[in-house]
Amino acid sequence: MVINGEDTESGTALLIAAAPAGKGCLIDATSVLPALAAVPPGILTGTTAATLVELADPTDPQTVLTRVRAAATTPGPLTLYIAGQLHLDHKQHLIHLALARSTPTTLRYTALPWHWLAGELNLRRPGTTTVVTDLVAAPDAWQKLSSEGLVLGYGIRVYGRIIPPPPRRQIAEPAYLKALATAWRSGINPPLAQLHEQAAARSASPDALFLAIGSTAVASPAASTAQDPPHPAPVPAVQAPAPLPAGTGTAEEDPLPAILAAAHAGRHGEAASLAAMWEGWALRTYGAESVQATHWLEVRADLARLAGDAARSCELWMAAADARLARQQPPDDPAVEGAVDRAHHQWQELHDPQRCLELGPPLVALRLHVPGRRPGAVEALQHRLAQLDGTLPSEARHAAP
């Protein structure tokens, strides 16, 4: 369905509602389309004229990509409304949006990789794209999103919610998007950030992850805490990444306080999403080996620690150390030593022997190059690896690199 406005300023709204058929369905995604389609298209896009395109239960990821690509090339504002469910590809560990024919075993061929969507939207001018989501995450995807967030890119506004899978034999409703549509149809049309807060409060769901990422990367605390359970204990302050020095070309308002506020409130997915967005901006603006990109890599590493994801934190701290060494910082540089020490500490926090064996060899190689200031660190690392290797079945040992 396509609806065209008549005025000169025109935007585009693309509505995507998709979920697998049968037992794999976690959300009644298409049930929100009639409500959104009843809203004047200009309200959906925030422009005086608009084009509205619907994709209801698409089956082919290439078809969806073609529609997204076509919408992304339009010059005016673009708003994507996405209702559906997210899954994790176990081979490449990538998030996918499930389509009508998606199954766990055919995910890589029948679902839309999230990075495809991000890649198309990142080609647009910052500040012209908004993504509004109402998503259910399968258990493996939920674990990843809870600590790493949902990433699109710098300059893309993201509002919405992600919820864990419903109880067995139940199907979730896209209550968040329905709340938005109900407000608009009643004649209420405040700024989207304000409306997001109202919809978040009305779409109550235990453990929901609410995202409110504006183009300035300042999150909306009221919305994001709408259904977050109280954090069980105070969260320690982020220790490692120092603020960037003045004059390095960052945005006028430092986004780090908003990110830390989200992490301290237990909104780890939101904090990770914001940090990843700024890291993407730094990569595109200054390059992979820049001080700015390394700064945001280290922020993400410590946010993973705060979220309790020791494996991810270890990986990111190792990547940060490698980035500093690639910039010709010496192995005894305090920043390099600090990154390796933190990677080592997070590795020691791991309770999964298989993950320890996967991350151990690259950490040993890094430790041999950056031994640090505590005697015996390399030996202690190798000793624990040897102990772990002896406790795993032979097939598990062979699976580790």
Side-chain angles (χ1 to χ4, degrees):
M1 177 178 67
V2 178
I3 301 175
N4 292 309
E6 299 178 352
D7 295 331
T8 55
E9 185 186 6
S10 182
T12 301
L14 176 58
L15 315 184
I16 302 175
K23 296 181 180 179
C25 182
L26 301 177
I27 183 171
D28 185 8
T30 57
S31 66
V32 75
L33 289 179
L36 286 174
V39 177
I43 292 181
L44 293 176
T45 61
T47 59
T48 55
T51 299
L52 174 62
V53 181
E54 285 187 10
L55 286 178
D57 273 334
T59 60
D60 178 28
Q62 290 292 342
T63 299
V64 179
L65 179 64
T66 299
R67 292 294 186 93
V68 171
R69 183 171 293 161
T73 59
T74 58
L78 171 64
T79 306
L80 269 68
Y81 295 86
I82 304 176
Q85 58 191 67
L86 300 175
H87 291 260
L88 189 67
D89 162 28
H90 289 285
K91 185 171 183 179
Q92 296 180 310
H93 300 285
L94 297 173
I95 294 293
H96 286 64
L97 177 68
L99 302 181
R101 294 178 182 172
S102 298
T103 66
T105 56
T106 65
L107 193 66
R108 295 178 61 209
Y109 314 103
T110 60
L112 180 73
W114 192 258
H115 67 273
W116 284 12
L117 177 65
E120 297 300 325
L121 299 183
N122 279 324
L123 297 176
R124 291 177 53 82
R125 181 166 54 88
T128 63
T129 308
T130 303
V131 177
V132 185
T133 68
D134 201 341
L135 300 165
V136 177
D140 47 4
W142 175 253
Q143 182 178 3
K144 181 179 179 71
L145 292 168
S146 296
S147 61
E148 298 183 25
L150 187 67
V151 179
L152 280 171
Y154 174 74
I156 299 174
R157 296 195 304 166
V158 182
Y159 293 97
R161 72 166 188 168
I162 307 172
I163 60 174
R168 190 177 180 183
R169 297 181 181 177
Q170 292 186 25
I171 297 178
E173 291 287 327
Y176 171 85
L177 280 177
K178 287 184 176 180
L180 291 181
T182 299
W184 280 324
R185 292 170 64 188
S186 68
I188 300 175
N189 190 21
L192 186 54
Q194 181 180 339
L195 190 58
H196 165 78
E197 296 181 9
Q198 299 173 13
R202 292 172 184 168
S203 56
S205 177
D207 301 322
L209 167 61
F210 287 97
L211 297 174
I213 303 174
S215 57
T216 57
V218 177
S220 170
S224 301
T225 57
Q227 291 302 321
D228 283 336
H231 203 274
V235 182
V238 174
Q239 299 173 2
L244 285 175
T248 53
T250 57
E252 292 181 4
E253 184 175 351
D254 183 5
L256 192 55
I259 294 172
L260 297 185
H264 281 243
R267 304 193 308 274
H268 300 295
E270 176 186 317
S273 295
L274 284 164
M277 182 187 74
W278 281 99
E279 183 186 12
W281 164 80
L283 287 169
R284 288 190 298 274
T285 306
Y286 300 102
E289 295 184 359
S290 65
V291 174
Q292 292 85 351
T294 303
H295 166 78
W296 286 110
L297 185 61
E298 292 179 339
V299 170
R300 290 178 57 217
D302 223 49
L303 290 176
R305 176 186 67 83
L306 293 179
D309 190 345
R312 185 60 175 158
S313 182
C314 176
E315 289 175 325
L316 291 170
W317 277 120
M318 285 195 291
D322 287 336
R324 290 186 176 277
L325 290 169
R327 284 207 311 274
Q328 306 302 315
Q329 290 183 241
D332 59 353
D333 185 302
V336 176
E337 290 182 336
V340 178
D341 286 346
R342 290 180 176 93
H344 192 161
H345 176 73
Q346 290 301 296
W347 184 80
Q348 289 176 317
E349 295 295 309
L350 288 173
H351 301 295
D352 181 353
Q354 184 62 41
R355 289 295 280 145
C356 284
L357 286 175
E358 291 171 358
L359 294 173
L363 182 57
V364 168
L366 196 57
R367 262 295 182 213
L368 289 170
H369 189 55
V370 185
R373 309 200 177 189
R374 288 183 293 180
V378 176
E379 292 76 9
L381 178 56
Q382 292 173 324
H383 178 69
R384 188 187 179 204
L385 266 178
Q387 287 182 319
L388 289 169
D389 191 52
T391 62
L392 286 182
S394 58
E395 59 271 17
R397 290 200 299 271
H398 294 320

